Amino acid sequence: NALKYAKATEISVSVFRDDTSIRMQIMDNGIGIKNEDIGKGKGIINMNERATMLNGVFQIESSSTEGTSLNIEIPVKYE
């Protein structure tokens, strides 16, 4: 989607893990998502639903000049 819709030329995917959570950040340098369009796409809806099912947090930050950042944090429980 970042290539097709946002016209991004760079995409970065990072995954971090510590004792309490797993975090993923996906960033692009595309044209961003308009505020009124955030949450309308099936992909974004699905990512939010999956994060929620795992007691996680899903956030989007988007700007027409700086691209889009998707941030997901899922808590980890050790027994």
Side-chain angles (χ1 to χ4, degrees), residues 20-73:
T20 61
S21 66
I22 297 172
R23 296 181 311 278
M24 179 168 35
Q25 182 177 57
I26 304 167
M27 299 173 62
D28 71 50
N29 66 343
I31 60 173
I33 304 170
K34 295 177 185 173
N35 285 338
E36 62 269 16
D37 291 336
I38 291 178
K40 289 184 178 178
K42 289 182 181 182
I44 291 173
I45 291 169
N46 288 337
M47 285 187 279
N48 187 38
E49 287 176 353
R50 286 183 176 94
T52 301
M53 286 174 22
L54 296 169
N55 298 316
V57 176
F58 176 77
Q59 297 176 321
I60 298 175
E61 297 175 16
S62 190
S63 162
S64 62
T65 58
E66 296 184 27
T68 300
S69 174
L70 304 176
N71 300 287
I72 302 165
E73 185 168 355

Side-chain angles (χ1 to χ4, degrees), residues 1-8 28 30-33 41:
N1 285 340
L3 293 172
K4 185 175 182 179
Y5 298 111
K7 302 176 185 171
D28 71 50
I31 60 173
I33 304 170

